[in-house]
């Protein structure tokens, strides 16, 4: 007998999906049983938010929707934090929630809330699977999830439907991925107008954003050709950094992060902003572009800009096609002093690496960079350490740094690293997290132990929610609610069986990383740092 749950499992497999990350309730057991042996592996996590984060990373790295699963009510609410990440970081994802049988709809029932109302604000579509339309609904959900801008779709899966026999035949043609929905044409008149604007500007500045991460390697290289041929200075958001922080490119720095004032100083003369794949969800135009400074917006969706700002032109559509055409523009003359750019980069580096006597966050970042191979991938949590990593870390490639920045959720890095290691087992993967982020997601270290995943969990252990402490200190407020634990707290030698290596200086950290990067299971590198430098580097 083929159940509706079998049909779901088969449809996911045929869409090329290999994992469902989740935390079950009684309502999901038939679905999990259907996944058994189906080619789609169920990965148990320790909190549903992690299931969403892992599915998000699966979506980022593969371009196919990541899939997560929870039970109803509290499982569904827990999972929203991870699903929201895919919503604001623009990642294709399918979120399945179990539900009571159809006869209980609208009744007062233990654990039951309105899942559609819960998921509507953080998904592109929220619906319920129904008999006879399972393959069609999932195929549509996948198309919606991957269409620009990508995002999550929520699918409620009633318990009785999962159990019932289905009339749908497995592997029915036409019910699988129909491919990424992308237009490949370029609006010629907008492009010609943009080229005129670039050629007449005296100080054209390029800004790159996270949509470029979805445009593929050919688009990255076309963008770089355009930048190199014309020697145009470029800024980026944190998520897009890997697109352009390359020695071949005139990279100024990351917007809105550590020592943003120095980046802004260099950009001061700009008289045109050419924004490529710039998604304001990471950092609004209004936060850094003067109202009189014209903006050219090239993205998959229209610009979100207030009326005081000048949108000089916009080119909306496929970024692969747009960047290819930009790469044809050469011989742009401008007034930027590129020797001043080299001096600016040195000044920025010095400002981010103050001569500090104690073991400090920037030392941790430098040791990690020296220790991690070029193809290494880091996932980054949210906190003071994030600001410093954003500006200081050399990414050495577009898909080497994963962070939650549209959603900006603490707790991302640990599950994200687990998801990344499952998708790309050959690459070294390091999760960089504050101690606050660690405490939120510590349970997932047991997931890495169970799956025997050699992930390095690098903790910036500074005892505080430093980003919030810095904000309190600057306003001379009390340091209430930001101290996580006292100086004497010890992590112990292992966490759920993963060795913990506590380090307090660069040499010890280098040695700990050397061992962790060749280990056959997870390691926690517990870097005890002095957060004092955050007062000057942020
Ligand atoms: C889920 C969530 N809760 C709260 C915040 C607000 N927040 C941003 S950074 C931060 C402090 C992070 O502390 P920690 O993980 O120790 O990193 P640190 O700032 O010390 O580097 C907080 C509370 C958030 N972004 N996400």
């Amino acid at each position: 007998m083929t159940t509706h749950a079998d049909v779901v499992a088969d449809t996911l497999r045929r869409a090329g999906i290999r994992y469902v990350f989740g935390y079950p309730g009684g309502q999901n057991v038939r679905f999990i049983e259907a996944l058994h042996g189906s080619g789609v592996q169920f990965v148990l996590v320790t909190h549903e938010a992690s299931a969403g984060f892992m599915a998000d990373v699966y979506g980022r790295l593969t371009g196919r929707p990541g899939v997560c699963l929870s039970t109803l009510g509290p499982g569904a609410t827990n999972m929203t934090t991870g699903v929201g990440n895919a919503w604001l970081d623009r990642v294709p994802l399918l979120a399945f929630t179990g539900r009571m049988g159809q006869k209980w709809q609208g009744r007062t029932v233990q654990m039951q809330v309105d899942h559609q109302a819960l998921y509507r604000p953080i998904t592109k579509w929220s619906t319920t699977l129904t008999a006879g339309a399972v393959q069609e609904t999932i195929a549509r959900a996948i198309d919606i999830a991957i269409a620009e801008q990508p995002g999550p779709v929520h699918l409620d899966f009633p318990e009785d439907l999962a159990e019932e026999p289905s009339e749908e035949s497995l592997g029915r043609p036409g019910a699988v991925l129909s491919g990424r929905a992308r237009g490949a044409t370029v609006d010629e008149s907008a492009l010609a107008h943009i080229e005129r604007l670039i050629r007449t500007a005296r100080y054209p500045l390029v800004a790159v954003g996270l949509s470029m991460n979805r445009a593929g390697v050919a688009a990255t290289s076309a963008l770089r050709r355009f930048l190199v041929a014309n020697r145009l200075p470029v800024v980026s958001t944190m998520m897009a950094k890997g697109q352009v922080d390359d020695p071949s490119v005139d990279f100024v720095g990351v917007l809105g992060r550590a020592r943003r004032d120095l980046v802004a100083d260099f950009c001061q003369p700009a008289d045109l902003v050419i924004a490529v794949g710039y998604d304001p969800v990471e950092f609004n135009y209004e936060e850094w572009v003067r109202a009189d400074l014209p903006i050219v917006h090239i993205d998959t969706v229209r610009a979100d800009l207030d009326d005081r700002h000048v949108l000089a032109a916009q080119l909306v559509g496929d970024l692969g096609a747009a960047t290819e055409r930009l790469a044809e523009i050469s011989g742009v003359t401008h007034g930027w002093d590129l020797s001043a750019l080299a001096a600016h980069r040195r000044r920025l580096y010095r400002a981010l690496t103050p001569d500090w006597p104690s073991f400090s966050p920037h030392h941790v970042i430098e040791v990690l960079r020296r220790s991690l191979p070029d193809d290494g991938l880091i996932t980054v949590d949210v906190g003071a350490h994030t600001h410093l990593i954003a500006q200081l870390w050399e990414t050495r490639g577009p898909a080497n740094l994963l962070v939650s920045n549209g959603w900006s959720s603490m707790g991302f890095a640990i599950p994200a690293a687990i998801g990344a290691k499952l998708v790309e087992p050959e690459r070294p993967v390091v999760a960089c997290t504050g101690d606050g982020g660690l405490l939120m997601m510590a349970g997932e270290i047991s997931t890495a132990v169970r799956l025997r995943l050699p992930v390095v969990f690098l903790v910036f252990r500074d005892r505080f929610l430093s980003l919030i402490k810095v904000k309190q200190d600057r306003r001379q407020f009390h340091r209430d609610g930001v101290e996580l634990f006292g100086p004497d707290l010890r992590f112990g030698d292992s966490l759920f069986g993963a060795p913990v290596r506590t380090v307090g200086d660069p040499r010890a950290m280098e040695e700990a990383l050397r061992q962790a990067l060749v280990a056959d299971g997870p390691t926690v590198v517990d870097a005890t740092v002095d957060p004092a430098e955050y007062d000057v580097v942020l």
Side-chain angles (χ1 to χ4, degrees), residues 53 81 361 381-387 407-412 433-440 459-471 481-482 484 531 534 538:
F53 290 135
T81 299
D381 217 73
V382 175
H385 63 287
T386 320
H387 280 258
W407 188 241
S408 208
S409 179
M410 283 176 70
F412 171 81
T433 178
D435 34 16
L438 169 81
L439 293 177
M440 274 191 183
V459 185
F460 290 67
R461 200 225 294 194
D462 57 13
R463 305 200 293 108
F464 286 93
L465 303 175
S466 285
L467 190 61
I468 313 304
K469 176 165 78 78
V470 166
K471 289 177 201 254
V482 292
L484 290 163
Y534 286 139
L538 294 193

Side-chain angles (χ1 to χ4, degrees), residues 356-370:
W356 218 263
S358 44
F359 190 44
S360 298
H362 84 262
H363 296 127
V364 172
I365 297 168
E366 291 192 321
V367 172
L368 178 62
R369 186 60 285 179
R370 283 203 297 278

Side-chain angles (χ1 to χ4, degrees), residues 523-535:
T523 307
V524 178
V525 176
D526 165 33
T528 55
V529 289
D530 175 359
E533 72 171 359
Y534 286 139
D535 290 334

Side-chain angles (χ1 to χ4, degrees), residues 363-448:
H363 296 127
V364 172
I365 297 168
E366 291 192 321
V367 172
L368 178 62
R369 186 60 285 179
R370 283 203 297 278
S371 308
L372 192 67
D374 284 356
D375 70 335
L377 184 157
I378 64 168
T379 63
V380 185
D381 217 73
V382 175
H385 63 287
T386 320
H387 280 258
L388 200 52
I389 293 172
Q391 206 66 274
L392 202 51
W393 184 254
E394 284 170 39
T395 52
R396 301 184 189 164
N400 291 348
L401 182 158
L402 304 179
V403 63
S404 160
N405 201 28
W407 188 241
S408 208
S409 179
M410 283 176 70
F412 171 81
I414 289 176
I418 294 171
K421 191 71 185 175
L422 283 170
V423 178
E424 302 195 346
E426 303 309 322
R427 297 177 69 185
V429 175
V430 179
C432 300
T433 178
D435 34 16
L438 169 81
L439 293 177
M440 274 191 183
M441 286 295 171
E444 298 306 346
I445 292 171
S446 77
T447 306

Side-chain angles (χ1 to χ4, degrees), residues 86-286:
W87 173 242
L88 285 194
D89 282 7
R90 323 299 194 196
V91 182
L93 180 146
L94 304 182
F96 285 90
T97 50
R99 208 181 80 178
M100 300 302 268
Q102 292 153 99
K103 71 172 179 183
W104 294 108
Q105 265 316 93
R107 299 282 311 282
T108 302
V109 182
Q110 184 188 44
M111 294 171 83
Q112 180 162 285
V113 289
D114 181 346
H115 288 169
Q116 259 75 47
L118 181 65
Y119 276 90
R120 200 171 295 121
I122 52 166
T123 53
K124 296 175 82 175
W125 187 36
S126 172
T127 191
T128 302
L129 293 179
T130 53
V134 168
Q135 294 178 82
E136 190 187 312
T137 306
I138 294 178
R140 180 162 171 229
I142 291 173
D143 276 349
I144 291 174
I146 63 179
E148 283 294 327
Q149 288 167 314
V153 169
H154 165 240
L155 298 164
D156 227 1
F157 196 2
E159 179 180 22
D160 50 358
L161 184 78
E163 300 281 351
E164 283 164 9
S166 169
E167 312 248 294
E168 294 180 53
S169 49
L170 296 185
R172 199 181 70 188
V176 283
L177 265 186
S178 64
R180 267 175 192 257
R182 279 185 168 173
T185 53
V186 172
D187 174 345
E188 293 298 333
S189 74
L191 186 75
H193 181 41
I194 289 169
E195 180 166 356
R196 275 195 303 279
L197 289 167
I198 295 173
R199 291 197 185 280
T200 49
R202 179 105 179 97
Y203 294 102
L205 174 74
V206 178
V208 178
L210 82 90
S211 307
M212 274 301 294
N213 293 347
R214 305 189 298 269
V217 286
T220 303
S221 89
L223 172 67
R224 287 183 180 186
R225 288 201 304 281
F226 167 65
L227 294 168
V228 172
N230 299 294
R231 298 291 311 271
L232 289 172
V234 56
V235 290
S236 79
T237 60
M238 181 171 186
M239 288 176 79
K241 188 183 188 191
Q243 297 287 334
V244 285
D245 77 330
D246 186 83
S248 66
V249 170
D250 293 295
F251 182 57
V252 180
V254 172
L255 294 164
R257 291 299 181 164
R259 295 312 304 263
R260 61 173 80 183
D261 54 322
L262 296 181
V263 176
D265 272 358
F266 185 86
C267 298
Q268 178 61 25
D271 58 0
L272 178 71
V273 170
I274 308 150
V276 185
Y278 193 89
D279 185 334
V281 72
E282 279 190 272
F283 199 52
N284 293 96
Y285 283 122
E286 293 84 348

